[in-house]
Amino acid sequence: MEVDTVSDIKTLSIDIETYSGYDLNKCGVYKYVEHPDFDILLFGYAVNGGEVQVVDLACGEEIPEKVISSLSDESVVKWAFNASFERVCLSMWLRRNHPDHFRSYSIEGDSVRNYLDPEAWRCSMVWSAYMGLPLSLEGSGAVLGLEQQKLKEGRDLIRYFCVPCKATKANGGRTRNLPEHDPEKWDLFKSYNKRDVEVEMSIQKRLAGYPVPGFVWDEYHLDQEINDRGIALDMKVVEEAIELDGQTREELQETMKELTDLENPNSVAQMKQWLSDQGTEVESLGKKDVAKLIEEVPEDQKEVLRLRQQLAKSSVKKYQAMQNAVCLDGRARGMFQFYGANRSGRWAGRLIQLQNLPQNHMEDLEQARELVKAGNLDALTMLYENVPAVLSELIRTAFVPAVGRKFIVSDFSAIEARVLSWLAGEQWRTDVFVNNGDIYCASASAMFGVPVEKHGQNAELRQKGKIAELALGYGGSVGALKSMGAIEMGLQEEELQPLVDSWRSANPNIVRFWWDVDRAVKKAIRQRKPSVLKGIRFECRNGMLFITLPSSRQLSYVKPRMGENRFGGESVTYEGVGATKKWERIESYGPKFVENIVQAISRDILCYAMKTLRHCFICAHVHDELIIECSMNVDLSVICEQMGRTPPWADGLVLRADGYETMFYKKD
């Protein structure tokens, strides 16, 4: 499609192929583009849905001026699959090659200044995820049954042209493959680039009847802003922690060798044999098994197992991930995958994975942190029994605000419990939240019929209330209690079923809500009739089950049908990415759908808070918590008040946000 001017361009569909000396999987796109050798090799594009063009930049071709101009034109909508990759790469490419065409959207004091405004970008991967489809171009194309599929040779071509190669005699000692080194492969690579744009546009056409709502695109743009902003790292803490971990591990290994005479005391097989030689037979050396074993074995074996526990701490991997991801300005970026969990729409973690950081429980966190920064292993060893455990607890503290600023960390209190209680109409629970009560104490009190206070009468029952709350809200039974650690917490096997029965008796409306949802889903699938329950709409159309939430966002389930579960009963199944990470048919039922719904609504509430606080510099978020980088005079109570506002679509839901100020991230 020929266009004369930029004003003729309404949409651009883009796919690029790139080269960098950095490993994209380890460092993420933001650092990837900072390598001096970073470049765009191929630029595939289509204007206004027309024929795909491929510009061979590596061989000297040039992108038309009007197309370059449109990259920073906010009136031109740019489409790509995983658009953040194209947007960040093109931001760097424009800054280096066409600085007159680069425009940042940053305001004074913000750190998003190096990237194009995400407002003009749309991501077909997000669209796929919104529809319950895979988060890959190949996977989405296959599930949708597109005529044109992604070329399977792509991975080999990318490995050949896009990453450094090993110097060998056969390749003349070169460390990079260029087009002239294999013209036939290069022609195939251009076809691959073209096909990706075609497949991306085909996905758009196939999903055209199910548009992503504007407010979800607004959430995506805010997500991109947070990823662009990044969060600062104290690299002194990171580097010293890696160094100390190496020294400590070496010493632990040597001590274990002396105690056991084993060549590799870290080997599971060798350690099992050593224990067997000492008269202790074990099937597993997992974390829980070792902890239990330590209580039972003689003192000499205890010492070896304690050392093994220390060696098992994997804290150094997080520090190495920080080292890999940190950008030139000392900030880590790109850690959040929008719609990474497509059953609920929640984020998934990337790179450093903030969602699964170890907690910290040390009282003298700041002192330990300073000793690590100083590289003082002697003091750490003298003051703390377990140095790897200290390094693990300090991981969070490597995240710091910019100089002259502070962090305000604010999170929702018991958000899922509040949402579930609100949806089910379990009024006694909502009353607890209204009065700022402790839901674990209140739950235990309702279950056992006696007053329970956290540090007062019947305080020992609070733990049972807590584990019941965490394990049983979505139909869980004895197995859920066990997987949540009930036995390790001191509960007896015979106590578990009565605990399940007591919790369900105390929460009849929640139990009823599970099965009301179950019936609504089955009615939608069987009868193709929509129904509304507690402001949630269930309907099937065009081979999809849609659950419309109070926020008006939809959850999508592909090809739902009635099937039979492993017990011979009736169940709902649909297609999705299962526990094996493969596309498969997944079995579900009422309580599981309730879990999806509650987590999805909790996610929507977090998004509402993020939009309320978008005038602040949100630099990270973890589960139901926001990390805000702000000036020293910002009032914590104001931030918490704004975060805790109930969305207009959740009338009657009682929310509360609590927070703290800190000069390094931690779990308060």
Side-chain angles (χ1 to χ4, degrees):
M1 179 179 290
E2 287 296 321
V3 291
D4 296 322
T5 64
V6 177
S7 62
D8 295 327
I9 301 178
K10 306 301 178 190
T11 65
L12 267 182
S13 292
I14 302 170
D15 184 76
I16 60 175
E17 308 302 338
T18 61
Y19 177 87
S20 172
Y22 288 142
D23 184 333
L24 178 62
N25 292 321
K26 284 185 177 179
C27 70
V29 66
Y30 290 89
K31 183 167 182 178
Y32 176 82
V33 302
E34 290 185 343
H35 194 281
D37 290 340
F38 164 76
D39 208 354
I40 297 178
L41 309 176
L42 297 173
F43 181 86
Y45 72 98
V47 175
N48 301 336
E51 186 180 348
V52 179
Q53 310 291 325
V54 174
V55 181
D56 188 343
L57 291 165
C59 291
E61 293 181 6
E62 295 184 359
I63 302 172
E65 183 74 17
K66 55 185 174 288
V67 175
I68 291 177
S69 296
S70 69
L71 294 174
S72 55
D73 187 334
E74 292 176 19
S75 69
V76 178
V77 176
K78 274 75 69 173
W79 281 94
F81 198 93
N82 189 18
S84 62
F85 179 79
E86 270 72 14
R87 183 178 63 84
V88 172
C89 287
L90 285 164
S91 295
M92 178 61 80
W93 186 82
L94 283 174
R95 285 168 53 216
R96 286 183 181 175
N97 299 285
H98 300 274
D100 51 318
H101 284 295
F102 174 76
R103 286 199 299 276
S104 169
Y105 66 108
S106 189
I107 61 172
E108 187 179 352
D110 204 350
S111 54
V112 301
R113 55 188 171 274
N114 292 331
Y115 310 104
L116 290 166
D117 191 343
E119 287 281 342
W121 288 76
R122 302 288 183 275
C123 180
S124 42
M125 184 173 75
V126 168
W127 200 349
S128 294
Y130 188 77
M131 295 304 298
L133 298 171
L135 287 171
S136 72
L137 188 60
E138 185 178 14
S140 289
V143 172
L144 291 171
L146 302 179
E147 282 185 30
Q148 290 188 315
Q149 297 285 341
K150 185 179 177 77
L151 294 177
K152 296 188 184 300
E153 302 91 338
R155 286 184 186 176
D156 290 337
L157 293 167
I158 287 170
R159 198 176 298 118
Y160 188 80
F161 289 115
C162 298
V163 299
C165 64
K166 190 175 181 180
T168 63
K169 283 185 179 180
N171 70 13
R174 68 174 182 264
T175 56
R176 178 177 176 182
N177 295 316
L178 299 171
E180 61 261 31
H181 294 132
D182 197 323
E184 193 175 324
K185 276 186 179 177
W186 186 252
D187 285 341
L188 185 58
F189 200 30
K190 289 197 281 189
S191 299
Y192 167 80
N193 179 234
K194 182 179 181 184
R195 176 62 62 84
D196 274 6
V197 183
E198 292 168 343
V199 173
E200 190 271 327
M201 290 196 297
S202 295
I203 289 173
Q204 286 187 53
K205 287 176 185 173
R206 184 61 63 88
L207 298 180
Y210 309 95
V212 176
F215 70 87
V216 174
W217 285 128
D218 188 39
E219 293 167 357
Y220 168 69
H221 297 144
L222 181 52
D223 159 80
Q224 292 294 283
E225 181 184 322
I226 293 168
N227 275 307
D228 286 354
R229 180 171 296 120
I231 183 169
L233 290 167
D234 187 330
M235 292 308 295
K236 185 66 174 170
V237 168
V238 173
E239 287 155 8
E240 291 294 344
I242 292 171
E243 177 65 26
L244 290 168
D245 183 84
Q247 293 177 37
T248 305
R249 284 176 180 278
E250 199 174 304
E251 290 179 11
L252 288 171
Q253 286 272 25
E254 287 305 313
T255 304
M256 285 184 74
K257 283 181 181 179
E258 289 173 14
L259 292 173
T260 63
D261 285 328
L262 293 176
E263 186 181 334
N264 178 14
N266 216 21
S267 160
V268 172
Q270 289 184 35
M271 183 55 64
K272 280 184 178 180
Q273 185 60 52
W274 182 82
L275 287 167
S276 177
D277 293 343
Q278 311 306 307
T280 302
E281 300 294 336
V282 294
E283 289 185 13
S284 167
L285 286 175
K287 188 177 175 182
K288 290 180 180 178
D289 301 299
V290 171
K292 190 175 180 183
L293 204 56
I294 286 174
E295 298 174 11
E296 303 168 355
V297 297
E299 195 58 44
D300 58 334
Q301 294 176 46
K302 279 186 200 293
E303 177 63 16
V304 170
L305 289 171
R306 285 195 192 103
L307 291 171
R308 181 177 177 81
Q309 277 185 321
Q310 293 187 44
L311 272 173
K313 281 285 180 187
S314 59
S315 57
V316 71
K317 291 180 181 176
K318 289 289 187 186
Y319 289 116
Q320 287 168 341
M322 293 174 182
Q323 205 171 42
N324 290 335
V326 67
C327 292
L328 291 172
D329 65 352
R331 300 178 79 89
R333 295 180 169 86
M335 292 182 290
F336 309 102
Q337 174 66 62
F338 187 75
Y339 244 90
N342 63 7
R343 226 94 76 212
S344 64
R346 281 183 161 181
W347 278 266
R350 294 292 182 262
L351 301 174
I352 303 171
Q353 297 279 2
L354 268 79
Q355 278 80 352
N356 62 4
L357 296 176
Q359 290 194 1
N360 51 262
H361 303 286
M362 298 173 64
E363 290 184 7
D364 52 350
L365 204 60
E366 191 159 3
Q367 173 187 291
R369 188 176 185 277
E370 289 305 314
L371 289 174
V372 168
K373 281 187 80 168
N376 195 336
L377 182 58
D378 290 340
L380 285 165
T381 305
M382 183 177 68
L383 292 171
Y384 305 101
E385 188 178 309
N386 188 333
V387 174
V390 172
L391 296 177
S392 179
E393 291 208 30
L394 290 176
I395 289 171
R396 290 172 186 261
T397 74
F399 295 103
V400 291
V403 176
R405 295 185 180 173
K406 65 181 178 182
F407 278 154
I408 284 183
V409 182
S410 182
D411 75 331
F412 289 110
S413 167
I415 183 69
E416 287 189 33
R418 290 168 185 261
V419 170
L420 180 59
S421 305
W422 170 66
L423 287 174
E426 205 67 82
Q427 190 58 46
W428 72 264
R429 296 166 65 89
T430 297
D431 291 342
V432 171
F433 297 129
V434 169
N435 296 316
N436 290 326
D438 183 313
I439 188 61
Y440 301 144
C441 287
S443 187
S445 182
M447 288 162 65
F448 302 112
V450 295
V452 178
E453 296 173 6
K454 190 171 182 177
H455 301 295
Q457 56 184 327
N458 301 308
E460 72 282 357
L461 294 177
R462 183 181 183 271
Q463 189 64 19
K464 294 182 180 181
K466 179 176 182 177
I467 197 167
E469 282 295 311
L470 296 175
L472 306 179
Y474 304 124
S477 189
V478 169
L481 287 169
K482 284 183 175 178
S483 64
M484 198 65 75
I487 301 298
E488 289 82 2
M489 289 180 186
L491 292 172
Q492 301 301 311
E493 181 85 35
E494 58 271 17
E495 290 184 89
L496 301 186
Q497 188 58 53
L499 200 60
V500 173
D501 297 337
S502 297
W503 190 89
R504 292 183 180 181
S505 295
N507 295 279
N509 292 320
I510 290 177
V511 175
R512 188 178 304 115
F513 183 59
W514 296 340
W515 305 114
D516 286 346
V517 167
D518 192 71
R519 283 187 289 274
V521 169
K522 289 175 178 174
K523 178 183 175 183
I525 295 170
R526 273 205 211 95
Q527 302 176 25
R528 293 294 189 267
K529 289 183 178 178
S531 57
V532 178
L533 174 68
K534 306 285 188 173
I536 303 163
R537 182 181 174 88
F538 302 82
E539 62 180 323
C540 265
R541 51 188 166 88
N542 301 332
M544 300 284 291
L545 167 67
F546 295 105
I547 300 178
T548 306
L549 305 170
S551 65
S552 77
R553 187 169 66 91
Q554 289 183 328
L555 303 183
S556 308
Y557 299 84
V558 179
K559 298 179 184 176
R561 66 177 184 226
M562 299 307 301
E564 188 177 289
N565 63 28
R566 60 187 181 279
F567 306 113
E570 189 179 57
S571 72
V572 173
T573 67
Y574 61 89
E575 290 184 7
V577 178
T580 61
K581 305 296 182 185
K582 294 179 180 177
W583 189 260
E584 58 190 11
R585 189 151 281 277
I586 296 168
E587 183 185 301
S588 195
Y589 70 126
K592 193 67 183 172
F593 283 111
V594 168
E595 182 178 18
N596 292 171
I597 289 165
V598 170
Q599 291 185 348
I601 291 173
S602 300
R603 173 259 186 219
D604 290 348
I605 291 165
L606 181 68
C607 280
Y608 182 78
M610 289 164 76
K611 289 179 180 180
T612 302
L613 292 164
R614 73 187 311 165
H615 60 284
C616 301
F617 290 168
I618 302 172
C619 57
H621 49 92
V622 185
H623 302 304
D624 304 309
E625 173 184 85
L626 294 181
I627 305 172
I628 293 169
E629 186 179 77
C630 55
S631 59
M632 303 302 286
N633 60 358
V634 172
D635 191 320
L636 169 65
S637 63
V638 172
I639 296 290
C640 291
E641 185 276 324
Q642 290 181 348
M643 184 169 177
R645 291 174 184 173
T646 301
W649 43 261
D651 187 43
L653 173 63
V654 180
L655 294 177
R656 175 179 166 178
D658 299 307
Y660 59 94
E661 301 175 353
T662 180
M663 295 310 294
F664 49 77
Y665 182 49
K666 58 184 178 180
K667 199 69 182 172
D668 195 42

